């Protein structure tokens, strides 16, 4: 008997990435196909199938070993039925039964979920959450997504819309978020919003090597803030220290609500912020009534850019 495997498919607004994932969560083969998000539903489905076919072509024995195909896609979607509802980033699909179509084409069970739920599950099963029962996961990058995994199962809520932790507000007078609310943690701590705060400080007259690294204010990205911070820049340190404070306030609320056994943080911003994790842990007691909040491990995720593939594959394991 070949070792059981799953295929994880990560659908974005411009590409489909797929990977063959073994029983320990290692990604052993990957493919990548562009997707025309504004084309027909059929053409977009063909892109997903092409990414999966590429895996089978490279690893023919996978046809016998693969027990299911998991997919993570931009929401809104229905994780219970595997139907893609009406994502703004994928106008090609409206009420599209993606899981059913994949099962029909490949003859194995298929599951569909959003990227943060899926990536959180992968961390709970194979990654930094292994050994813990209740896992809180956050992916901090271009947005802030979260997943709540209890006993290796995603917590969905009544209609599958639970765990939108990135849109928990920490300041009702704060900046307007992409979702329309004020002061969501995403509006403070996502990559683009970190860059925005740095830009505002520069516009107010602060001097910093961030601008030299970026070339211009318009070209300023979070990566430049990170580079400047590593080189000892005072303004970059100020921006990232504030970011750590915002995240600490937010995590304190999460701790009071869930008291998880571990908090796993992934995404590009998480890597940048990981040197602040110890001080964030130490600061939690000021933002949680839970006097033992600081004991909860705050750790970097196992999966980086492959979080979507690993997460999608993990959907078959819950
Ligand atoms: Zn929001």
């Amino acid at each position: 008997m070949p070792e059981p495997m799953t295929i994880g498919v990560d659908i974005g607004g411009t590409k489909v990435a797929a990977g063959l994932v073994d029983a320990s969560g290692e990604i052993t083969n990957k493919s990548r196909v562009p997707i025309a998000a504004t084309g027909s539903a059929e053409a977009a489905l063909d892109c997903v199938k092409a990414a999966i076919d590429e895996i089978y072509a490279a690893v023919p024995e996978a046809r016998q070993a693969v027990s299911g195909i998991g997919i993570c896609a931009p929401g809104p979607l229905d994780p219970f039925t595997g139907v893609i509802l009406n994502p703004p980033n994928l106008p090609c699909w409206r009420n599209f039964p993606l899981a059913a179509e994949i099962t029909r084409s490949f003859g194995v069970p298929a599951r569909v979920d959003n990227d943060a739920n899926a990536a959180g599950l992968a961390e709970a099963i194979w990654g930094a959450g292994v050994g813990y029962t209740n896992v809180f996961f956050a992916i901090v990058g271009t947005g802030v997504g979260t997943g709540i995994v209890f006993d290796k199962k995603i917590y969905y809520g009544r209609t599958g819309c639970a765990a939108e932790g990135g849109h928990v507000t920490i300041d009702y007078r704060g900046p307007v978020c992409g979702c329309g609310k004020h002061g969501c943690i995403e509006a403070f701590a996502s990559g683009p919003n970190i860059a925005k705060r740095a830009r505002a400080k520069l516009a107010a007259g602060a001097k910093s090597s961030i601008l030299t690294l970026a070339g211009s204010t318009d070209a300023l990205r979070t990566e430049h803030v990170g580079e400047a911070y590593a080189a000892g820049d005072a303004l970059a340190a100020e921006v990232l220290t504030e970011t750590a404070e915002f995240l600490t306030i937010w995590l304190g609320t999460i701790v009071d609500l869930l008291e998880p056994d571990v908090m796993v943080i992934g995404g590009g911003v998480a890597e940048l912020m990981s040197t602040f994790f110890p001080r964030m842990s130490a600061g939690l007691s000021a933002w949680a009534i839970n006097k033992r909040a600081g004991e909860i491990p705050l750790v970097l995720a196992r999966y980086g850019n492959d979080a979507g593939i690993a997460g999608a594959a993990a959907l078959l394991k819950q």
Side-chain angles (χ1 to χ4, degrees):
M1 270 295 280
E3 190 197 9
M5 296 200 180
T6 45
I7 287 179
V9 181
D10 180 10
I11 303 176
T14 57
K15 59 95 188 90
V16 180
L20 186 62
V21 182
D22 72 15
S24 60
E26 286 296 328
I27 300 167
T28 59
N29 195 279
K30 285 196 266 187
S31 68
R32 197 180 168 94
V33 171
I35 186 168
T38 53
S40 72
E42 272 306 310
L45 177 63
D46 285 344
C47 298
V48 177
K49 289 197 226 169
I52 298 167
D53 281 333
E54 222 176 276
I55 300 277
Y56 283 136
V59 190
E61 61 272 26
R63 286 200 185 271
Q64 277 72 50
V66 166
S67 60
I69 298 174
I71 301 167
C72 66
L77 52 80
D78 186 337
F80 305 132
T81 60
V83 172
I84 304 289
L85 301 175
N86 54 347
N89 293 344
L90 292 173
C92 51
W93 289 331
R94 289 294 174 264
N95 296 312
F96 187 75
L98 182 59
E101 289 289 345
I102 293 299
T103 293
R104 199 161 64 87
S105 296
F106 295 96
V108 291
R111 294 289 307 269
V112 174
D113 213 322
N114 73 54
D115 56 355
N117 276 351
L121 183 63
E123 292 297 330
I125 292 178
W126 294 316
V130 169
Y132 300 98
T133 305
N134 303 311
V135 178
F136 175 74
F137 171 76
I139 187 156
V140 188
T142 52
V144 178
T146 61
I148 300 168
V149 183
F150 296 139
D151 208 11
K152 298 184 172 59
K153 288 190 168 44
I154 295 168
Y155 173 72
Y156 283 109
R158 188 174 70 91
T159 65
C161 294
E164 286 292 349
H167 300 287
V168 165
T169 184
I170 60 164
D171 180 359
Y172 73 91
R173 297 155 306 183
V176 179
C177 179
C179 73
K181 286 171 38 171
H182 283 260
C184 300
I185 186 62
E186 178 170 306
F188 289 101
S190 70
N193 285 308
I194 293 173
K196 196 172 172 181
R197 284 190 290 109
R199 263 184 235 120
K201 287 178 193 292
L202 288 167
K207 296 280 170 276
S208 164
S209 64
I210 300 174
L211 199 53
T212 323
L213 289 165
S216 73
T217 316
D218 286 346
L220 196 164
R221 301 278 173 273
T222 321
E223 293 81 344
H224 303 126
V225 180
E227 273 178 60
Y229 172 70
D233 184 87
L235 185 75
E238 186 185 315
V239 171
L240 294 188
T241 303
E242 277 175 8
T243 306
E245 183 72 1
F246 294 139
L247 288 169
T248 307
I249 295 167
W250 178 62
L251 289 172
T253 302
I254 301 286
V255 167
D256 279 339
L257 190 64
L258 297 178
E259 198 188 25
D261 297 310
V262 66
M263 298 188 283
V264 180
I265 318 287
V269 171
E271 282 164 36
L272 186 66
M273 294 303 298
S274 59
T275 53
F276 288 86
F277 283 7
R279 73 188 281 169
M280 286 164 62
S281 279
L284 273 179
S285 60
W287 296 103
I289 62 159
N290 188 322
K291 289 302 161 225
R292 297 176 63 180
E295 294 174 8
I296 301 171
L298 177 61
V299 297
L300 195 60
R302 167 182 175 178
Y303 296 102
N305 291 334
D306 291 330
I309 291 174
L315 293 174
L316 279 305
K317 301 281 179 188
Q318 70 168 343

